[in-house]
Amino acid sequence: MKARLLIGSIGVAAMLIHAATGSLLAQTQPAAAAGPWKPVPGHMMTRWAKDVSPENVLPEYPRPQMAREQWHNLNGLWDYAITKVDATKMERFDGQILVPFPIESALSGVKKQFSRNERLWYHRTFTAPTLAGGKRLLLHFGAVDWEAKVLVNGKSVAEHRGGYDAFTCDITDAVNAGADNELVVSVFDATGNMQPRGKQHLPAITNPGSIKYMYTPCSGIWQTVWLETVPAVRIESLHIVPDIDNASVAIEVNGKGTEPKIEVLDAGKVIASDRGVKVILKIPNPKLWSPDSPFLYDVNVTSGTDSVKSYFGMRKVSVGKDDKGFLRLLLNNKFVFQVGFLDQGFWPDGIYTAPTDAALRSDIEITKKLGMNMARKHLKVEPDRWYYWADKLGLLVWQDMPSGVAGRGSEKDKKTGEMRDGTRISDEANAQFEAELNALVEGRWNHPSIVMWVVFNEAWGQYETPRLTQWVKDMDPSRLVNSASGWLDYGTGDVQDIHSYSGPDCPDPDGKRAAVLGEFGGLGLPVAGHTWVEKTWGYRGMLDVGELTKRYCEMFRKVYELKDSSGLSACVYTQTTDVETECNGLLTYDRKLKPDLATIAAANRGSFPPLAEKPVPASNKPAPASKKPAPANPIIPQEKLVEPSKTIATRAADKVIAPHPTQAKPLLLGNWADPSILKDGDDYYMTHSSWDFQPGLAVWHSKDLRSWRLISHAVVNQPGSILAPELIKHDGKFHLYYMHL
């Protein structure tokens, strides 16, 4: 039952606290009268947007792993204003905003660009309850991006930096019980500098796709805000660690007060209990948590007059050898091949904030229906309820730390191949990154669904990799740690993680860590009527749904071959949904499934139709070798080729391939990226991008997959600007697809 907290007027014409209270709004003028709230039109909306209203905006309890009965949701319409960044007060309201949708989103009702030169203000009033018996009133924020200053009746009650972690203010001494109280939140968000920010990118608002893999930023309040009445002596937090090898669970209670009583329940029946701030409880005949059987035990904790409810899953993650000697990712001491999406967590109508809890749940449900058992939550931290649904529905989660620019200089020496770790930008940036990394681990470490922490993505802001890897491992030894997904590997952590577009591929086993494919795929297919803008991109363009399905199944057949032949333990396909200009999703941005569900689900589980066999000649004699010579250039007529010295100036396929000079040296090992092979009759053609020696595109020919002849090469000015090339034959013609950054 929710506490009876009376919420005061929150409209633009709401009663303001007088100057005597120290309000920052002492002389604020109301905004001009505005119409009722409605989403800002433009781009696209999801089917859940129709369920959002000021009276019904994410009403669910936001913290399922430490739930109390007495709470009140403050989501809804708030007043807002945008001022210069150095303003100390608001002069007037600009209008109303629907909390908790970021100001850049359509569902906020505002959808405005917000810059580092501005400050965003929120305002509302509420009536505080009478706090008898020494009770305290807590104000919780799920997340505010990025720096928040909170004032109640003009009194500062909290300052917080970090766009992804929750924070709490004890506002008891600042409120007037039984009277109207003023709540103001001041927000600064540069979406840059030292801030961990993931894939948020300011220019994406006015110039979508300016950097192809970066998207609209999220500023301000973007998770639920709520009030909670608690005893003065209360439970602050829980830390729950299961141990399936000893059929037990360790539970630590942090807080003030009497020795807590802890109970573990199965279907409402108490099966274990004890008292103490740190207890180890034996679990009789433990029911193990897994994607196939996501069983959750309930937990009740009571300390004095305070009580909270929680839950946990009995599961273990580790690395161990299989009968072939490959190091594998183990779940509950057994190898489970992990297949999942790269899940970016963006929404066309809410940006970082899902329109409803049902929408949040739906992404996990469709991932499971598509035959996957894992998701890599990419460079974003979700609200607690996303992980709750992953726990409840059974989805393994690799959790990325959102990247920033705390480090620089992490790179591979182009001449020697030596890996050089990055160094910190500054002590301040280092401290902020590590504070937010610490908050991520401690804020989400009770979720059984999370099985791996990913410290860095590729080389984005990477620095002091061995130290940070060990720090996270020491902080949470119950989970695996991935030092860096893709690119630069310093031999640390529990996994070797490579990225291969379009792939797939597998790292060469080093005998110390499990081999995983942290990103691959990216089969791009825009769907008319379901794109963010007209101009889109994908790592490998598909002609239609049929080709997408065929290519996807071919990729996953290779994935499962790599699992058996090379020891691949997991793969992450890019990606769950399209995001803005990027159309690599199996779902559109507004969550419409592109390919056939049953076919894709079967492929993800490793089930494929048998390959067609080549017919044997009736005479039982070997088929005669083809006498047709390999063409000098199978892709483009000779007269349309450009000179090797010229750079690529267009995306047109008939102008990007140049004949390779016979006197040129062969490409050096290690300079390749994104190879793909096309079989055409008895001929094989391999395309790949080249980074160092003559950077650009290369095409090779072979008859036996052993001896290759370089037949074409195109040069570009900027190494690494051409990615994911693929040669496709369609209607008797060769077509070359690639991504040009």
Side-chain angles (χ1 to χ4, degrees):
M1 180 178 179
K2 297 180 182 178
R4 294 179 179 176
L5 301 180
L6 301 178
I7 304 304
S9 170
I10 56 175
V12 172
M15 175 172 45
L16 304 180
I17 306 301
H18 294 294
T21 66
S23 169
L24 294 181
L25 299 171
Q27 297 179 347
T28 303
Q29 298 297 315
W37 169 88
K38 62 180 180 180
V40 179
H43 293 303
M44 60 170 64
M45 308 292 283
T46 65
R47 61 184 178 275
W48 297 278
K50 67 181 187 309
D51 300 323
V52 178
S53 70
E55 297 74 35
N56 182 41
V57 51
L58 297 171
E60 296 80 10
Y61 188 82
R63 192 185 56 198
Q65 281 205 321
M66 206 178 94
R68 289 189 176 95
E69 290 186 351
Q70 295 188 340
W71 74 287
H72 196 95
N73 198 325
L74 293 183
N75 292 344
L77 286 174
W78 293 39
D79 305 313
Y80 86 94
I82 297 176
T83 66
K84 292 183 178 180
V85 68
D86 56 356
T88 58
K89 65 175 64 176
M90 291 178 284
E91 300 299 330
R92 60 177 286 120
F93 299 129
D94 294 337
Q96 292 183 300
I97 185 170
L98 190 62
V99 169
F101 296 105
I103 193 169
E104 296 91 347
S105 70
L107 287 176
S108 71
V110 180
K111 197 177 181 184
K112 286 184 178 179
Q113 184 172 1
F114 182 69
S115 77
R116 68 188 63 200
N117 301 316
E118 296 173 315
R119 183 168 296 278
L120 173 60
W121 300 81
Y122 293 86
H123 166 266
R124 68 164 294 156
T125 64
F126 64 94
T127 300
T130 300
L131 300 170
K135 287 190 174 182
R136 312 294 291 180
L137 185 62
L138 303 183
L139 172 64
H140 301 282
F141 292 85
V144 181
D145 198 351
W146 176 74
E147 179 186 81
K149 298 180 179 180
V150 184
L151 302 102
V152 174
N153 296 330
K155 181 178 180 180
S156 176
V157 294
E159 292 189 13
H160 180 267
R161 283 184 167 188
Y164 299 95
D165 52 289
F167 63 97
T168 297
C169 328
D170 185 337
I171 62 173
T172 309
D173 298 333
V175 298
N176 301 310
D180 285 328
N181 293 268
E182 177 192 64
L183 171 59
V184 173
V185 182
S186 167
V187 176
F188 165 74
D189 182 19
T191 312
N193 300 333
M194 66 180 182
Q195 297 175 215
R197 56 190 179 276
K199 288 199 169 184
Q200 301 179 63
H201 183 55
L202 276 172
I205 299 176
T206 55
N207 186 17
S210 51
I211 295 182
K212 293 178 182 293
Y213 45 82
M214 303 293 278
Y215 320 117
T216 299
C218 160
S219 299
I221 299 171
W222 70 276
Q223 291 185 30
T224 292
V225 185
W226 80 101
L227 293 169
E228 194 170 44
T229 303
V230 298
V233 178
R234 61 187 179 273
I235 300 163
E236 301 282 358
S237 65
L238 305 175
H239 187 199
I240 306 174
V241 182
D243 181 355
I244 70 167
D245 295 330
N246 293 295
S248 65
V249 60
I251 301 179
E252 180 179 353
V253 181
N254 299 302
K256 309 169 185 174
T258 60
E259 188 175 56
K261 178 182 179 181
I262 303 170
E263 297 177 326
V264 175
L265 300 90
D266 179 350
K269 180 182 178 181
V270 177
I271 60 169
S273 66
D274 201 351
R275 287 185 176 274
V277 294
K278 292 183 179 181
V279 301
I280 297 177
L281 299 174
K282 284 290 185 179
I283 306 299
N285 302 314
K287 301 174 182 177
L288 302 186
W289 183 98
S290 72
D292 293 332
S293 180
F295 184 83
L296 298 173
Y297 289 92
D298 293 319
V299 177
N300 291 340
V301 182
T302 304
S303 178
T305 59
D306 192 19
S307 64
V308 298
K309 296 182 182 297
S310 189
Y311 65 86
F312 67 91
M314 289 292 289
R315 69 99 184 92
K316 174 187 175 182
V317 290
S318 58
V319 174
K321 286 188 176 181
D322 65 6
D323 54 5
K324 294 182 180 180
F326 290 125
L327 281 171
R328 298 292 198 178
L329 298 182
L330 304 183
L331 177 65
N332 301 331
N333 296 323
K334 296 179 180 178
F335 172 46
V336 174
F337 189 55
Q338 298 184 23
V339 178
F341 277 130
L342 190 74
D343 191 315
Q344 310 222 45
F346 276 76
W347 297 84
D349 39 21
I351 309 301
Y352 255 23
T353 309
T356 66
D357 192 58
L360 201 67
R361 172 176 174 160
S362 71
D363 276 3
I364 296 171
E365 289 178 325
I366 191 62
T367 300
K368 294 273 292 183
K369 288 177 181 177
L370 284 166
M372 292 183 166
N373 58 12
M374 178 263 286
R376 178 184 165 203
K377 181 50 66 173
H378 190 41
L379 299 177
K380 181 195 176 190
V381 184
E382 292 286 1
D384 251 319
R385 290 195 65 86
W386 188 90
Y387 303 96
Y388 163 74
W389 286 119
D391 297 339
K392 192 172 180 63
L393 299 177
L395 186 71
L396 303 171
V397 177
W398 298 8
Q399 178 59 57
D400 285 14
M401 170 63 192
S403 60
V405 287
R408 63 185 169 195
S410 184
E411 61 184 358
K412 178 180 179 181
D413 188 286
K414 293 179 180 180
K415 293 182 179 179
T416 66
E418 180 186 1
M419 299 286 189
R420 288 196 292 263
D421 203 357
T423 57
R424 63 182 65 186
I425 293 290
S426 67
D427 289 342
E428 183 183 14
N430 167 261
Q432 184 61 41
F433 180 84
E434 294 184 26
E436 294 195 43
L437 177 56
N438 181 85
L440 164 62
V441 174
E442 292 190 355
R444 298 291 186 269
W445 62 8
N446 288 336
H447 289 284
S449 57
I450 299 178
V451 295
M452 185 185 296
W453 304 112
V454 182
V455 183
F456 294 108
N457 175 66
E458 298 173 341
W460 297 12
Q462 190 172 348
Y463 73 103
E464 299 177 19
T465 306
R467 179 183 69 82
L468 289 173
T469 301
Q470 190 59 50
W471 180 55
V472 173
K473 193 70 175 180
D474 292 342
M475 197 182 338
D476 184 10
S478 72
R479 287 179 174 82
L480 305 179
V481 179
N482 186 337
S483 296
S485 183
W487 291 18
L488 302 181
D489 179 23
Y490 298 100
T492 56
D494 295 301
V495 298
Q496 295 171 265
D497 185 325
I498 64 168
H499 294 177
S500 177
Y501 286 104
S502 295
D505 203 348
C506 180
D508 293 329
D510 65 0
K512 300 182 297 180
R513 300 168 297 162
V516 303
L517 179 56
E519 290 182 27
F520 82 109
L523 301 179
L525 178 67
V527 177
H530 296 273
T531 59
W532 184 251
V533 290
E534 184 177 351
K535 186 179 180 181
T536 62
W537 71 277
Y539 284 104
R540 182 183 293 187
M542 297 289 102
L543 297 174
D544 51 34
V545 170
E547 187 189 15
L548 170 63
T549 305
K550 178 175 178 289
R551 291 284 176 179
Y552 189 93
C553 292
E554 289 172 352
M555 278 186 168
F556 271 82
R557 189 186 293 273
K558 293 178 183 177
V559 162
Y560 276 87
E561 290 172 357
L562 290 169
K563 174 181 79 75
D564 296 331
S565 65
S566 303
L568 187 66
S569 280
C571 67
V572 180
Y573 178 83
T574 300
Q575 58 191 356
T576 315
T577 74
D578 297 344
V579 183
E580 300 193 359
T581 63
E582 182 177 348
C583 287
N584 290 312
L586 284 193
L587 283 75
T588 63
Y589 200 10
D590 57 349
R591 274 54 177 182
K592 174 183 171 61
L593 182 63
K594 298 177 187 178
D596 176 68
L597 187 147
T599 303
I600 297 299
N604 288 333
R605 297 186 182 106
S607 178
F608 309 96
L611 291 171
E613 295 184 5
K614 268 191 171 183
V616 179
S619 63
N620 290 324
K621 294 180 180 179
S626 172
K627 296 181 179 179
K628 182 180 179 181
N633 189 321
I635 308 166
I636 303 151
Q638 184 73 26
E639 63 272 14
K640 290 192 176 181
L641 295 174
V642 298
E643 292 300 319
S645 60
K646 293 184 178 179
T647 60
I648 295 174
T650 175
R651 292 190 177 198
D654 62 352
K655 294 184 180 179
V656 297
I657 298 298
H660 189 276
T662 56
Q663 69 272 21
K665 297 179 181 179
L667 295 174
L668 302 177
L669 185 64
N671 292 340
W672 295 13
D674 310 327
S676 66
I677 296 177
L678 170 70
K679 187 177 187 301
D680 181 43
D682 296 327
D683 297 301
Y684 296 90
Y685 299 103
M686 177 171 65
T687 59
H688 64 81
S689 56
S690 54
W691 286 57
D692 301 333
F693 174 75
Q694 290 191 330
L697 287 171
V699 181
W700 302 69
H701 173 262
S702 175
K703 286 286 189 181
D704 57 7
L705 291 176
R706 293 189 183 93
S707 300
W708 292 89
R709 182 172 65 92
L710 186 61
I711 59 174
S712 295
H713 189 263
V715 181
V716 294
N717 289 325
Q718 181 182 358
S721 62
I722 299 293
L723 298 176
E726 184 186 16
L727 189 63
I728 294 175
K729 191 173 184 180
H730 182 68
D731 292 338
K733 296 180 179 180
F734 288 87
H735 303 269
L736 185 64
Y737 294 89
Y738 63 94
M739 184 176 71
H740 190 185
L741 298 181

